[in-house]
Amino acid sequence: MSFSLAIVGRPNVGKSTLFNRLVGRRLALVDDQPGVTRDLREGEAKLIDLRFTVIDTAGLEEATDESLQGRMRKLTERAVDMADVCLFMIDARAGILPADEVFAEILRKRAKHVILAANKAEGHAGEGGFLEAYSLGLGEPMRISAEHGEGMGELYDILRPLADGYDERAQAEAPEVDVELTEEEQELGEEAGVSRDFTAEKPLQICVVGRPNAGKSTLINKLLGEERLLTGPEAGITRDSISVTMNWNNTPVRVFDTAGMRKKAKVQEKLEKLSVADGLRAVKFAEVVVVLLDVSIPFEQQDLRIADLAEREGRAVVIAVNKWDEETDKSNKAKELREEFTRLLPQLRGAQLVTVSAKTGKNLDKLEEAILYAHQVWNRRVPTAKLNTWLSAMTEAHPPPAPGGRRIKLRYMTQVKARPPQFVVMCSHPDELNASYKRYLVNGLRADFDMPGTPIRLFFRSQADKNPFKNKTKSVPSRLRKHLGKGRADEKKKW
């Protein structure tokens, strides 16, 4: 990435629409309702041959107190400070409003470089607002339409020289490094650095999910060590699924913050439906899902649904109980939580349960260890020889059922996939094998091959019958064929 571009402006001027166009995907939620975007969302933008980081920001509000709008403004101002270029967007159809003049003054003082864009300028309706944009004193505005893609060529012409300047500066500031290595260093590098599980391009994908106001954004901010995500006492602040990157002991990690998921019957507004759908999509792309609970009301029915969803999607699951600093009777509460977890979520038996405090940072190191361990188990593979030895011992200890007096034979077993572990057992009459015996085998796999908590997929298939004469009629000998033919001809003459 050569430079970063922050898109700023009043609410509902089309910032998220332009962001989606630059990244080439519908990452940011877009709606006619103003104030949809609240957090800073970063994406890898592509404009012809330019590659840069684009930042979608919340709509600039005039509030400066500790209200929700005031906290959103602080995040936007932070994006202005850290971005190399600011694209100040106005609504050409609405014209210049007093708020635009206030924010233009802020950008003149704080931004390194400002580009003025008049959005929704297609047709004659935006002509007046485009001409008014000259009065802001930010140079010549450009006419764009984020929805229809108009003006992207002009934006490229403005960004091209800026990108060249940042590339030259980065090369000049880069220190010279001697890359020649000794023979010992090369051998160590070949042994230790070839098989890295995670890289900056493909980091460990983690998704934090839970009910509203469980503390998901606060937890991620604590892990990052900075106030990157918008937080507060209000429930339902997060709307988009925001991803942030970090390093855990040299392990690249990408964490997704999701919107709080309420019961389906309570979700009526279109915007909340879009937010929940965005969170569910993040669960599907994650490798490890952290289900965050509130210690004051843990394991509510919605928490169980969310955990079951992660298990059905085949993700590694870690249960984190937040606000542990507010609990007075910690020892009895911890015992109660583990008993409820075992009773209410048997499909995740053995999964890690960690008590944390996103506010104070307590036990976050244990949470990191639990996530890395859950991912390790999720990737586990078992050799076929060990599986078949284990299968023989399991069937001897507890033989399969015999429906109708016919014993089901489990012939052999193999692992066909990891992430999550998936096994196939070749057997006779797989359709007649009951669910209790399947659970018996799955629980045995968890216990004997150290796979606690991870989803296990076990499939039963019938072995193909090798009899070549099955479902075929008897053949007639050739010496009888002519007599049969003569007899049929005589029968036809009679008729």
Side-chain angles (χ1 to χ4, degrees), residues 464-472:
D465 199 321
K466 303 299 182 183
N467 184 2
F469 300 105
K470 187 177 181 180
N471 298 328
K472 287 189 177 182

Side-chain angles (χ1 to χ4, degrees), residues 405-469:
R406 206 170 38 176
R407 178 70 65 187
I408 297 175
K409 297 179 181 179
L410 305 184
R411 293 187 170 89
Y412 67 89
M413 180 179 185
T414 185
Q415 183 174 0
V416 295
K417 192 179 177 183
R419 305 164 59 92
Q422 296 185 14
F423 303 90
V424 172
V425 179
M426 306 303 294
C427 64
S428 60
H429 314 295
D431 297 336
E432 299 179 9
L433 198 64
N434 55 32
S436 62
Y437 198 80
K438 294 177 183 178
R439 284 196 300 270
Y440 162 70
L441 294 178
V442 169
N443 292 335
L445 285 169
R446 290 191 194 280
D448 297 334
F449 294 107
D450 192 22
M451 291 189 286
T454 193
I456 294 178
R457 304 290 185 253
L458 186 60
F459 303 97
F460 296 86
R461 294 178 186 169
S462 61
Q463 207 167 13
D465 199 321
K466 303 299 182 183
N467 184 2
F469 300 105

Side-chain angles (χ1 to χ4, degrees), residues 256-430:
F256 289 85
D257 183 24
T258 62
M261 300 180 186
R262 297 195 297 164
K263 292 181 180 179
K264 190 174 182 180
K266 293 184 178 181
V267 179
Q268 301 294 334
E269 296 183 3
K270 173 189 173 185
L271 188 56
E272 188 174 358
K273 290 181 180 179
L274 292 173
S275 299
V276 173
D278 203 26
L280 296 177
R281 188 163 55 250
V283 170
K284 293 180 181 179
F285 283 103
E287 296 171 297
V288 182
V289 174
V290 178
V291 181
L292 195 65
L293 313 180
D294 189 332
V295 70
S296 60
I297 42 174
F299 295 111
E300 283 201 337
Q301 194 166 8
Q302 184 65 1
D303 295 322
L304 303 180
R305 288 197 187 101
I306 294 171
D308 184 62
L309 166 70
E311 193 276 337
R312 283 188 283 109
E313 289 294 337
R315 308 300 103 182
V317 179
V318 174
I319 306 295
V321 184
N322 192 25
K323 305 180 183 178
W324 192 242
D325 56 307
E326 300 177 2
E327 180 60 39
T328 54
D329 190 6
K330 289 183 171 56
S331 58
N332 289 331
K333 189 65 175 181
K335 182 180 178 182
E336 180 186 341
L337 288 172
R338 298 187 188 282
E339 290 176 353
E340 288 187 3
F341 177 44
T342 304
R343 178 173 57 87
L344 297 173
L345 290 170
Q347 67 272 36
L348 292 173
R349 177 186 295 182
Q352 299 282 318
L353 188 146
V354 186
T355 54
V356 299
S357 172
K359 185 178 180 181
T360 64
K362 182 177 178 59
N363 290 341
L364 292 190
D365 54 341
K366 294 182 180 179
L367 178 61
E368 295 173 11
E369 292 175 4
I371 290 172
L372 294 174
Y373 176 72
H375 187 272
Q376 178 187 353
V377 175
W378 191 59
N379 283 272
R380 185 151 296 167
R381 284 190 174 274
V382 183
T384 302
K386 288 186 177 181
L387 279 175
N388 285 285
T389 304
W390 172 85
L391 183 63
S392 299
M394 293 292 285
T395 53
E396 286 179 9
H398 185 58
R406 206 170 38 176
R407 178 70 65 187
I408 297 175
K409 297 179 181 179
L410 305 184
R411 293 187 170 89
Y412 67 89
M413 180 179 185
T414 185
Q415 183 174 0
V416 295
K417 192 179 177 183
R419 305 164 59 92
Q422 296 185 14
F423 303 90
V424 172
V425 179
M426 306 303 294
C427 64
S428 60
H429 314 295

